Amino acid sequence: MITNGRTAPLVGNQSECSELAQTPPPRRDRENAPGAGKRGPVGGASPQRSQWGGRARARARCRFRFRFRSRSRFGAGPAPPVAAIMEPAEAEFLAEKELVTIVPNFSLDRIHLIGGDLGPFNPGLPVEVPVWLAINLKQRQKCRLIPPEWMDVEKLEEIRDQERKEDTFTPMPSPYYMELTKLLLNYASDNIPKADEIRTLVKDTWDTRIAKLRLSADSFVRQQEAHAKLDNLTLMEINTTGTFLTQALDHMYKLRTNLQPGESAHSQDF
């Protein structure tokens, strides 16, 4: 709250509010103001009117402070929900910061961005840029995109077969393999050889890992374990089952709490 160019505190006690209400506002000389002679010797407003206006403003400030203090103490309703799990669009936004190689067809000096310097750009010379910039240049037909080394049919077949053989999660070639595959195949499929086969292989690997994750979560809940550790999971995979798993564990905890001996029968509502 701004008062006379200063920031007034939002919470005050009763004595402070009474002092503000009894203190007359500072008198402002308006003799030199334009049109002062038309409204009176002091700018048109009588001292009594200015005094009552200042008291009204002070009382309004006190009421605002009391309402703010009451809300902060007793609460003004349920707090807004806070998202604990990231949305898929947020994970995709993080994936757009990964570096890929492009071959530009234009000339440009080094550019300075918040995330770092990029360039220089010379026609025919490969340069690494973030995915978001590569997609933007590709949409304007300013570059040719070179797919990552792991985006190859033979390598992806090995990754898929290895994932099917192992009971645990195997390391992925990129922490954003699913997001990068979607982005690059949607905007630069003409620069990626065998794009349809690559899409199918990545989808098969994704399905295998999600099935493992569901089995691990089911075993974790059935055995009533307190904690678990899973390695080599990506952010998108965690967010896929994170919401369901946390809600399931919350319900399981409430069921165990209500079914303890000595609890009353009416304590089953949750």
Side-chain angles (χ1 to χ4, degrees):
M1 181 175 180
I2 306 300
T3 307
N4 294 335
R6 299 181 179 179
T7 304
L10 293 178
V11 180
N13 51 28
Q14 185 176 1
S15 60
E16 181 184 357
C17 293
S18 60
E19 292 178 359
L20 287 173
Q22 296 176 2
T23 304
R27 182 176 179 180
R28 300 180 180 178
D29 190 5
R30 300 183 181 178
E31 294 179 357
N32 299 326
K38 299 180 181 180
R39 301 180 59 185
V42 196
S46 62
Q48 184 178 4
R49 183 177 180 181
S50 300
Q51 183 178 0
W52 280 107
R55 291 181 179 178
R57 288 192 296 270
R59 286 194 297 269
R61 288 196 297 268
C62 292
R63 286 195 298 269
F64 173 79
R65 294 179 183 180
F66 177 77
R67 287 197 299 269
F68 183 87
R69 182 174 56 184
S70 301
R71 289 193 176 194
S72 61
R73 179 179 301 178
F74 305 107
V82 179
I85 303 299
M86 298 179 64
E87 296 292 335
E90 296 174 332
E92 186 176 301
F93 173 79
L94 296 178
E96 291 180 353
K97 298 181 181 179
E98 294 291 303
L99 296 179
V100 293
T101 304
I102 63 170
V103 180
N105 54 15
F106 62 94
S107 298
L108 184 66
D109 295 335
R110 183 181 297 271
I111 57 178
H112 307 280
L113 304 177
I114 296 178
D117 299 341
L118 299 177
F121 299 88
N122 296 308
L125 296 181
V127 61
E128 286 190 344
V129 296
V131 174
W132 62 267
L133 181 57
I135 293 176
N136 182 273
L137 294 175
K138 177 63 179 177
Q139 288 177 330
R140 294 188 292 165
Q141 300 181 358
K142 294 292 185 180
C143 72
R144 177 173 59 87
L145 192 142
I146 299 179
E149 295 181 357
W150 57 267
M151 199 170 286
D152 179 73
V153 173
E154 295 181 358
K155 293 183 179 181
L156 289 176
E157 286 179 349
E158 295 178 1
I159 294 174
R160 182 199 59 184
D161 297 339
Q162 185 70 17
E163 190 68 39
R164 290 178 176 178
K165 292 179 182 179
E166 298 290 338
D167 295 332
T168 58
F169 296 93
T170 59
M172 286 290 98
S174 171
Y176 303 100
Y177 74 98
M178 191 64 181
E179 299 92 313
L180 291 178
T181 302
K182 176 184 176 183
L183 290 171
L184 298 183
L185 292 182
N186 286 347
Y187 295 99
S189 59
D190 56 333
N191 296 148
I192 301 176
K194 301 180 180 179
D196 294 335
E197 297 183 22
I198 290 176
R199 192 191 304 270
T200 303
L201 290 171
V202 172
K203 185 65 168 59
D204 293 343
T205 305
W206 168 270
D207 293 338
T208 304
R209 293 174 65 86
I210 292 299
K212 286 183 181 181
L213 188 57
R214 290 175 179 172
L215 291 176
S216 301
D218 181 70
S219 176
F220 176 78
V221 173
R222 288 178 180 272
Q223 297 177 7
Q224 299 183 3
E225 298 291 344
H227 59 85
K229 180 180 180 181
L230 296 175
D231 298 327
N232 302 322
L233 285 178
T234 63
L235 181 60
M236 184 67 76
E237 293 167 351
I238 295 174
N239 291 332
T240 301
T241 58
T243 304
F244 168 76
L245 182 59
T246 53
Q247 291 178 357
L249 293 177
D250 188 25
H251 286 295
M252 291 293 295
Y253 172 77
K254 292 178 180 179
L255 287 173
R256 295 171 191 168
T257 304
N258 293 331
L259 292 178
Q260 286 180 355
E263 294 287 339
S264 58
H266 64 274
S267 62
Q268 298 295 329
D269 52 345
F270 58 91

